[in-house]
Amino acid sequence: QVQPVESGGGSVQAGGSLRLSCATSYRTNCMAWFRQAPGKEREGVAAIDSVGDSAYADSVKDRFTITIDNAKNTQYLQMNDLNAEDSAMYYCATANPLTNRRQKPRGATACTLNSADYGYWGQGTQVTVSS
């Protein structure tokens, strides 16, 4: 099973919270969340490496938190203070082989929000925020 499996989407009112999960059957150096709303381009939301260093889009900083449980090969995206702009299909992605060989900078993550760095994508989970 190469494809990541997402869960945890749903509907919530503005100001509410949701937690997304993404499970894989393998270890990878980078896992990330992307989202795509109707009529909009896919955008990176958050990424995390195997030691827990992360990167976030400016639009979600201080509201979303990405974490990883290496023992379970699972990453989580805790989303707080949701607003209508967060409504989208959320996709989990894992690094392609080239990205997995990237050297990690000290104290930071080598994982980016560039979709080209990711080779395996989940089916997506819908997040809908009503105002």
Side-chain angles (χ1 to χ4, degrees):
Q1 178 71 27
V2 176
Q3 188 177 42
V5 179
E6 306 102 333
S7 61
S11 297
V12 65
Q13 289 193 327
S17 298
L18 283 173
R19 189 176 84 150
L20 306 183
S21 299
C22 174
T24 65
S25 60
Y26 51 90
R27 185 79 173 262
T28 178
N29 284 343
C30 290
M31 298 179 78
W33 287 98
F34 292 78
R35 66 186 182 187
Q36 188 166 20
K40 293 188 177 181
E41 292 188 357
R42 181 170 55 188
E43 63 170 339
V45 175
I48 191 166
D49 62 28
S50 57
V51 298
D53 288 323
S54 55
Y56 295 92
D58 288 342
S59 59
V60 306
K61 270 180 189 174
D62 301 323
R63 298 189 300 122
F64 290 12
T65 302
I66 189 170
T67 56
I68 192 165
D69 183 338
N70 286 314
K72 297 180 180 178
N73 290 330
T74 299
Q75 56 128 321
Y76 305 94
L77 185 68
Q78 178 66 43
M79 305 185 294
N80 297 330
D81 193 21
L82 287 160
N83 58 60
E85 294 294 310
D86 297 316
S87 294
M89 186 71 80
Y90 282 69
Y91 298 92
C92 175
T94 59
N96 61 38
L98 192 62
T99 301
N100 269 330
R101 292 196 292 269
R102 185 177 295 162
Q103 188 171 4
K104 176 182 167 61
R106 183 175 298 182
T109 183
C111 305
T112 73
L113 300 180
N114 182 350
S115 61
D117 283 351
Y118 298 88
Y120 308 100
W121 295 79
Q123 297 279 3
T125 185
Q126 180 68 40
V127 171
T128 302
V129 184
S130 57
S131 54

